[in-house]
Amino acid sequence: MMELEVPCKQKDKDKEEQEAPFSLSKVTPGSRKAERKWHSRARSIPKAVIVRRSLLSDAVRILEHVNFQYGIGDAYLDDVFGRKVDVESGNRQLVSYLRNEGLEGSIQVKWSDTLSCTACMATSGGPRKLNKPHRRKYTLFLNSTRENMYLRAHGLTALANHEIGTHYYRARNDGFQVWYPCRAKFDMSRSRCYEMLLSEEGLATLNTYLSLNCKLLWKPALTYSHMAQRMDTDELYSHIQCCVLDPDIRRKIVLRAKRSHGLKSSEGTDYFGCGWDQCYFIGAVNILRQLDNIDFTLMHSGKLSVEDCERVGRLAKTTVLKLPQFICTEENARLYCCTLAEIKAANFL
C-alpha cells in the first residue's frame, strides 16, 4: 500500500520515541488512534474511478499460466511464498531485513489485526513547507491475520521490498529533494494523484518479486482481473475459486474489489469502482514496457512518477540518498535491471 503522511504540530523540542522498534502485541490504544487516522486519510482518496479493462487479456494469460504450471493459486503460494509462519517468525524476518539495510531504529514495526490492507508504511513529521527531514518518523503497520498472504517463509522479505525497499526509501529521500516543499513549482505530479499512484505501486509491485523464485505477477493480475468482472459479491466470490481456494484470500479480494463498485457513467459506457487497486498491475506493466527508458536509481531517489524523472531528474540530490540494498551499488543496479527484464519476459510482456 502507498505510504501515507500525517502532519503533526511542530514543537520546540522533539520528544524521543519511547516505544520499542518492534511490537509483537496488538496495537496499543494510542497507536490504534494513529492507525485510524492514517487509514481515514487513505479513505479520503476518491474511490469511484474508472475500472480499467484494457489489460484484462494480459492478466488472464498470467492467471492461466499459473493454473497450468501449479494447478491452482494456492499451490503457487506454497511454492513461491513458502509455508505459512506465525507473527513471531515473521517479525524475526523483518528484524533481519532492517539490520541488513542498516535501518535499525529508523522504522517502528507494529502488527495489527484490524488493518483492511496487508501493510501500510505511515509517516509523521513537521509541516511539509518547513522541510525538516530529521523530524520525520516512519511506522510500518502489518496485518497479523490469516488474510495476510505474505505471512510466509519467503513472503515477508518480498513484502519488505515493497513497503520498505520502495515506499520508505522513496519517502525518506524525497524529504531531502529541492521539490519536496512545493511540487507544483516544478510542474511535478501531485503526490496522491492517479499517475503518481501508478508509478509508486507499480514500482513497489516489481520490487516485491525481486526475491521470489517465480516472477509471475499472480496477485496483481488476480486483483486487476477480478475488479474488472461485473458480478455481484457472491458471484465474484465463487468465480475466484477457479484461481484460488483459500477462503481468506478470496474474501479479502472480493471486499476490496466491490468497494464503490457498480457505478456507471451517464452514457453507460464506463464502469466505475475502486479502481485504485488496479494500479499495482497497471503500474507494473507500464514500467516493464519502458524498461530501457527509466533510471531506476532516480526512481528510488524520491517520490517521482516515471514522467517526473524526465522533468526534474537533473535536479535530484544524490549525496544524501539512501538506497535499498538491491540497487545501492552499480553492480546491484545492473542486476536489478536484469531481474526486471526477467519479470517482463516471464509475464509475456
Side-chain angles (χ1 to χ4, degrees), residues 126-166:
R128 177 177 288 265
K129 63 181 180 180
L130 295 181
N131 198 11
K132 300 286 186 181
H134 64 282
R135 292 184 179 272
R136 305 188 78 189
K137 296 179 181 179
Y138 301 87
T139 303
L140 175 59
F141 287 106
L142 294 147
N143 192 322
S144 62
T145 71
R146 293 183 301 175
E147 290 183 350
N148 187 348
M149 58 171 269
Y150 294 93
L151 199 50
R152 292 170 175 264
H154 311 305
L156 265 299
T157 298
L159 183 59
N161 281 338
H162 182 119
E163 296 293 339
I164 301 171
T166 311

Side-chain angles (χ1 to χ4, degrees), residues 3 25 30 65 70 74 77 92 105 114 117 124 141 182 231-232 239 256 270 275 279 282 300 324 337-338:
E3 174 260 344
S25 60
H65 193 73
Y70 293 94
D74 304 73
L77 289 173
R92 286 194 295 270
T114 63
C117 56
S124 62
F141 287 106
C182 184
M231 303 177 180
D232 63 31
H239 180 72
R256 290 185 68 89
D270 292 328
C279 288
I282 298 174
H300 289 84
C337 290
C338 289

Side-chain angles (χ1 to χ4, degrees), residues 1-5 97 103 107 117-123 136 138-141 158-175 191-192 196-208 279-280 299-304 322 324 326:
M1 183 176 177
M2 195 172 182
E3 174 260 344
L4 302 177
E5 183 176 351
Y97 183 94
L103 295 176
I107 301 174
C117 56
T118 299
C120 175
M121 178 62 70
T123 308
R136 305 188 78 189
Y138 301 87
T139 303
L140 175 59
F141 287 106
L159 183 59
N161 281 338
H162 182 119
E163 296 293 339
I164 301 171
T166 311
H167 297 325
Y168 165 76
Y169 279 107
R170 278 167 56 93
R172 183 264 180 198
N173 290 334
D174 200 59
S191 60
R192 301 188 186 282
M196 175 60 75
L197 194 64
L198 286 177
S199 295
E200 180 83 23
E201 296 299 355
L203 183 65
T205 295
L206 296 177
N207 288 346
T208 302
C279 288
Y280 297 84
M299 283 287 286
H300 289 84
S301 69
K303 297 183 74 64
L304 298 171
K322 189 173 181 63
F326 55 71

Side-chain angles (χ1 to χ4, degrees), residues 137-281:
K137 296 179 181 179
Y138 301 87
T139 303
L140 175 59
F141 287 106
L142 294 147
N143 192 322
S144 62
T145 71
R146 293 183 301 175
E147 290 183 350
N148 187 348
M149 58 171 269
Y150 294 93
L151 199 50
R152 292 170 175 264
H154 311 305
L156 265 299
T157 298
L159 183 59
N161 281 338
H162 182 119
E163 296 293 339
I164 301 171
T166 311
H167 297 325
Y168 165 76
Y169 279 107
R170 278 167 56 93
R172 183 264 180 198
N173 290 334
D174 200 59
F176 292 95
Q177 301 295 356
V178 65
W179 58 74
Y180 178 74
C182 184
R183 300 177 65 89
K185 179 180 177 181
F186 297 90
D187 192 28
M188 297 175 65
S189 304
R190 290 181 294 107
S191 60
R192 301 188 186 282
C193 70
Y194 184 77
E195 290 71 24
M196 175 60 75
L197 194 64
L198 286 177
S199 295
E200 180 83 23
E201 296 299 355
L203 183 65
T205 295
L206 296 177
N207 288 346
T208 302
Y209 286 81
L210 294 176
S211 63
L212 299 176
N213 61 21
C214 178
K215 307 304 183 185
L216 288 165
L217 302 175
W218 177 79
K219 178 56 166 58
L222 182 67
T223 302
Y224 179 94
S225 64
H226 288 97
M227 286 204 64
Q229 303 297 329
R230 300 177 181 181
M231 303 177 180
D232 63 31
T233 301
D234 293 335
E235 289 175 330
L236 185 58
Y237 183 82
S238 298
H239 180 72
I240 296 177
Q241 191 170 355
C242 66
C243 296
V244 60
L245 299 176
D246 189 306
D248 293 312
I249 296 177
R250 288 162 62 195
R251 180 170 59 251
K252 183 175 181 179
I253 291 174
V254 170
L255 290 176
R256 290 185 68 89
K258 301 309 292 185
R259 292 179 299 172
S260 303
H261 216 257
L263 302 175
K264 295 183 179 180
S265 64
S266 56
E267 296 82 6
T269 55
D270 292 328
Y271 198 67
F272 289 79
C274 189
W276 298 93
D277 281 0
Q278 289 187 313
C279 288
Y280 297 84
F281 187 68

